[in-house]
Amino acid sequence: EDVPISIANFDSKTLTNANIQSLSEVEKLTAGVRFDKRTNFVVPTIRGITTNIVLAGGGSNIGVYLDGFYSPALQGSDIQLLNVDSVQILKGPQGTLFGRNTNGGAIQVNTAEPNQKTRFIGEAGYGSYDAFRMQAYGNLALDERTSLDMAVSYATGDGYTTNIANGDDKIGK
């Protein structure tokens, strides 16, 4: 069926060329999309539709789907895009196609399928406030019908929050 819908589709080559490292950075590639950071939560916004209810167990008005599975946690909305095949942003109400929590739209992230090509990708970075990040992705072809696919991510940092009552600047660590 034909469905009149506004879709922004980014393949892995486009994401790599634009140096997009995490899902929240796709806002650089399409209009009307924002990812607001509120403490440990990342709240997606499409065309101004969002939620101000930010708590553990609270859902967003924008559905985030990883390989077709809904991700209800706002803490998991900003995933790292190391082994991603494509990202689609569907703007506008998507309740008919996706169901609940898609009043403002849906974001689909499709990871790369395991294949018969052996490869390894590794990244590391260091930034302000002693932020350190490492990521690795590997695909190992075991035989002509079997392959092993694995992604690992590690991040740490001191954070930038300071407790004004006692001066503890490591509270966000």
Side-chain angles (χ1 to χ4, degrees):
E1 291 182 44
D2 292 328
V3 178
I5 187 172
S6 174
I7 299 174
N9 185 26
F10 307 108
D11 61 5
S12 61
K13 187 175 182 178
T14 302
L15 296 169
T16 301
N17 289 343
N19 195 27
I20 303 298
Q21 302 291 320
S22 63
L23 186 57
S24 65
E25 293 177 357
V26 298
E27 69 184 17
K28 299 173 188 175
L29 299 176
T30 185
V33 176
R34 276 193 348 246
F35 285 81
D36 299 325
K37 293 177 174 71
R38 297 182 183 133
T39 62
N40 293 334
F41 301 97
V42 176
V43 183
T45 301
I46 297 178
R47 293 181 174 166
I49 307 294
T50 190
T51 183
N52 286 326
I53 302 170
V54 181
L55 54 104
S60 172
N61 289 332
I62 309 299
V64 176
Y65 294 83
L66 180 61
D67 288 332
F69 291 96
Y70 176 66
S71 176
L74 290 174
Q75 295 96 327
S77 294
D78 190 19
I79 58 179
Q80 300 298 310
L81 302 178
L82 186 61
N83 63 327
V84 169
D85 188 42
S86 66
V87 174
Q88 291 92 32
I89 299 174
L90 292 78
K91 299 177 180 180
Q94 300 300 318
T96 303
L97 300 173
F98 291 93
R100 66 178 233 141
N101 293 356
T102 56
N103 298 1
I107 300 171
Q108 295 186 72
V109 179
N110 300 305
T111 59
E113 293 284 329
N115 55 44
Q116 295 305 307
K117 190 188 301 184
T118 298
R119 69 182 183 137
F120 175 80
I121 302 169
E123 295 179 355
Y126 182 79
S128 302
Y129 303 101
D130 289 328
F132 177 70
R133 179 181 56 85
M134 285 191 326
Q135 296 182 143
Y137 168 73
N139 188 67
L140 176 64
L142 301 174
D143 61 37
E144 59 188 47
R145 293 180 49 194
T146 310
S147 63
L148 177 67
D149 185 60
M150 186 154 96
V152 178
S153 180
Y154 173 78
T156 185
D158 289 341
Y160 54 86
T161 307
T162 301
N163 184 340
I164 61 172
N166 63 9
D168 182 10
D169 63 350
K170 303 293 183 197
I171 192 169
K173 188 171 185 174

